Amino acid sequence: MENQYTIQKLSQKTGLSVHTLRYYERIGLLEGVPRDEHGYRLYRESDLLWVEFLMRLRGTGMPISEMKRFSDLRSEGDSTITERREMLEAHQAHIYEQMRVLRDHLRSIDDKIDHYKGMEKEQNQAVPPKVPSGK
Amino acid sequence: MENQYTIQKLSQKTGLSVHTLRYYERIGLLEGVPRDEHGYRLYRESDLLWVEFLMRLRGTGMPISEMKRFSDLRSEGDSTITERREMLEAHQAHIYEQMRVLRDHLRSIDDKIDHYKGMEKEQNQAVPPKVPSGK
DNA sequence: CCTTGCTTTAGAGCGCGCTCAAAGCTGTAG
DNA sequence: CTACAGCTTTGAGCGCGCTCTAAAGCAAGG
């Protein structure tokens, strides 16, 4: 029941390309990925979970350099837990800020859409409909 | 009362660098920026408003190529209003999707923070406090 | 045995969005 | 008159995050 994944399978499962998975390992985001007798990567369940967590950091805009720092702390063991928590809390604040910006700009864009709708209406009225007023 | 801005002033007002303002003009995001007798740019209020709108599109993740498309449509006049509205509505959907992703990932990150807090608590208890039970 | 398709590595290449540099002109202060 | 700062253009450069290539090894099917 100990699931193992080839790089291909992990790529499918995560949506990252095999190139990106190897790249992440090369720069140290993934460490100690086990190999089979031919040197092929064999990812474990724990690797899948870690990659998924990395994707959440990336997907919320954390730069790779910061992910690397986090990853390095993780390799150092439990003594770095406080620092890791602080990193995540700082990142949390960034995410809140992103959401705020999105909300604000969304409002302006909504307004612009409404503005265009108004103009479209006017354009239609400019050529008055031929519908007879009575039956 | 017709405000005009040098590139420097517009840079301050918008937060974009003067390099970026010139770059935007070069690639066609800003068109017809007026010049003084020496060829210096003199932005009008309408240019400021347009730049601010561009920044909202960028700030919500629209690629430059798409902004260019939008900008070109705008130059073509009122006949492109429907297409512009449709572009904004498509972009609106992207923004909603971004917000959804942020919310989802934020939850996971919150969980991880809580998990770390739990571990930090355990670590503190591992060395039991010397506080006497009674006064 | 041979082809097809996977894997490995190291290193090069790329698209995006700026960002800077070079060379020259203008305007202002001392 | 001379600095110095800011403007112009064209074109090159850069940091990020992948993405791809080359050269070689391994494995399953016909």
Side-chain angles (χ1 to χ4, degrees):
Chain A
M1 195 78 237
E2 171 65 22
N3 283 329
Q4 293 189 133
Y5 310 102
T6 64
I7 196 165
Q8 204 64 230
K9 285 234 191 81
L10 193 68
S11 171
Q12 287 176 236
K13 277 220 164 240
T14 59
L16 291 180
S17 72
V18 295
H19 300 292
T20 301
L21 286 170
R22 286 194 276 251
Y23 166 68
Y24 277 7
E25 189 171 340
R26 206 169 0 157
I27 64 175
L29 289 182
L30 278 80
E31 285 173 73
V33 175
R35 309 300 175 106
D36 71 7
E37 70 263 37
H38 303 296
Y40 289 17
R41 288 170 180 81
L42 269 185
Y43 298 91
R44 297 149 303 183
E45 200 66 30
S46 61
D47 297 311
L48 170 60
L49 294 174
W50 175 238
V51 168
E52 286 173 342
F53 180 68
L54 289 175
M55 291 178 75
R56 285 186 207 105
L57 296 182
R58 274 298 300 140
T60 49
M62 183 183 283
I64 296 265
S65 56
E66 206 169 321
M67 289 164 61
K68 177 70 166 73
R69 169 82 184 133
F70 190 92
S71 186
D72 288 349
L73 287 174
R74 181 171 176 262
S75 304
E76 282 181 42
D78 286 357
S79 65
T80 63
I81 281 174
T82 297
E83 192 167 350
R84 279 184 268 164
R85 175 182 52 76
E86 287 167 354
M87 282 190 72
L88 290 188
E89 284 173 348
H91 186 55
Q92 209 181 29
H94 286 145
I95 297 175
Y96 283 131
E97 177 60 15
Q98 287 182 65
M99 299 198 314
R100 197 190 60 69
V101 168
L102 286 181
R103 261 197 309 276
D104 286 1
H105 291 179
L106 181 59
R107 270 215 58 230
S108 300
I109 290 167
D110 287 349
D111 289 349
K112 193 117 188 166
I113 288 172
D114 287 346
H115 178 66
Y116 283 152
K117 282 183 179 166
M119 291 183 73
E120 288 176 292
K121 222 168 197 170
E122 278 179 37
Q123 286 180 347
N124 291 339
Q125 286 173 347
V127 179
K130 290 192 193 149
V131 180
S133 56
K135 157 50 188 316
Chain B
M1 195 76 235
E2 171 67 19
N3 283 329
Q4 293 189 133
Y5 310 102
T6 63
I7 196 165
Q8 206 63 230
K9 285 234 192 78
L10 193 68
S11 171
Q12 287 176 235
K13 277 220 165 243
T14 61
L16 291 180
S17 73
V18 295
H19 300 291
T20 301
L21 286 170
R22 286 194 276 249
Y23 166 68
Y24 278 8
E25 189 171 341
R26 213 184 337 173
I27 64 175
L29 288 183
L30 278 80
E31 284 172 74
V33 175
R35 309 302 174 106
D36 70 8
E37 69 263 37
H38 303 297
Y40 289 16
R41 289 170 180 80
L42 268 185
Y43 299 91
R44 295 152 304 183
E45 199 65 31
S46 61
D47 298 310
L48 169 60
L49 293 174
W50 174 239
V51 169
E52 286 174 341
F53 180 67
L54 289 175
M55 290 179 75
R56 284 187 207 103
L57 296 182
R58 276 298 298 140
T60 48
M62 184 183 283
I64 296 266
S65 56
E66 206 168 323
M67 290 164 61
K68 176 72 166 73
R69 170 84 184 131
F70 190 93
S71 186
D72 289 349
L73 288 173
R74 182 172 177 263
S75 305
E76 282 180 42
D78 286 356
S79 65
T80 64
I81 281 173
T82 298
E83 191 168 350
R84 279 184 268 163
R85 176 183 50 76
E86 287 167 355
M87 281 191 73
L88 290 189
E89 283 173 349
H91 185 56
Q92 209 180 30
H94 286 144
I95 297 175
Y96 283 131
E97 176 61 14
Q98 286 182 65
M99 299 199 313
R100 197 191 60 68
V101 167
L102 286 181
R103 261 197 309 276
D104 285 1
H105 291 179
L106 181 59
R107 270 216 59 229
S108 299
I109 289 167
D110 287 348
D111 289 349
K112 193 117 186 166
I113 288 172
D114 287 345
H115 178 67
Y116 284 152
K117 282 183 179 166
M119 291 183 74
E120 289 177 292
K121 221 167 198 170
E122 277 178 38
Q123 286 180 348
N124 289 339
Q125 286 173 347
V127 179
K130 290 192 193 147
V131 181
S133 55
K135 155 68 190 304

